[in-house]
Amino acid sequence: DMGAYEFQGEPQSTEPDEIVIPKLNKISNYPNPFNPTTNIKLNLSESGRIDFSIYNIRGQLVKTLINENKQAGFYHKTWTGKDNTNRKCSSGIYFIKLKTDNFVKIDKVMMLK
C-alpha cells in the first residue's frame, strides 16, 4: 500500500465539461483608507435576513448599517465614520461584517484623520 486512494463513488455531474460556479456574497468599499466617508457595495446572492454592521478592533459593535430581510441583489451604503449614537469614531481599523443565515464575510477598513 503506497498511501494512494481510489475514488469508488459516482461523479457529481452527468455532464463531463460542466463547471459549477457558486454564487457568492461580496463586500467592497472605496476609498480604503478613508476620511471621513467610505462607500460600501454589497452583492447578495440570495434573499433572506442579513446583518450588515461595522465593528472596532476589539470586536465591539460600532454601527449597524442593515439588519433586516433583503432580496438578492446589489446594495450601496455609506458609512460616515459615526457610531450608532451619531458620535465620530476615532482613527483606526474597523471591520465590515456581513452575516446571513448561512454565510459570514468580514472585510477590513481603515479610517485615517
Side-chain angles (χ1 to χ4, degrees):
D1 184 3
M2 59 186 221
Y5 295 97
E6 192 175 305
F7 179 70
Q8 298 292 329
E10 293 294 319
Q12 296 295 322
S13 173
T14 58
E15 298 291 323
D17 295 332
E18 181 180 355
I19 298 173
V20 178
I21 300 173
K23 294 181 180 178
L24 299 175
N25 294 315
K26 295 181 182 176
I27 305 171
S28 63
N29 76 297
Y30 182 82
N32 189 18
F34 69 96
N35 176 17
T37 301
T38 188
N39 297 304
I40 306 167
K41 294 180 182 177
L42 171 64
N43 180 8
L44 293 178
S45 62
E46 56 189 39
S47 301
R49 181 121 188 124
I50 68 164
D51 178 13
F52 191 49
S53 302
I54 308 290
Y55 291 83
N56 64 18
I57 195 82
R58 294 180 182 171
Q60 299 166 320
L61 177 65
V62 173
K63 179 75 174 177
T64 301
L65 300 172
I66 302 173
N67 188 12
E68 60 189 43
N69 287 321
K70 288 287 189 185
Q71 297 295 319
F74 293 94
Y75 295 90
H76 176 266
K77 293 303 255 180
T78 300
W79 183 41
T80 59
K82 294 182 180 179
D83 66 11
N84 280 330
T85 61
N86 210 27
R87 290 184 297 186
K88 290 182 181 180
C89 296
S90 61
S91 295
I93 296 173
Y94 293 87
F95 298 95
I96 303 170
K97 180 179 178 183
L98 168 63
K99 181 179 178 186
T100 66
D101 292 333
N102 54 8
F103 182 85
V104 175
K105 172 123 175 100
I106 299 173
D107 277 0
K108 181 170 63 170
V109 295
M110 182 180 288
M111 182 173 16
L112 299 175
K113 290 188 179 182

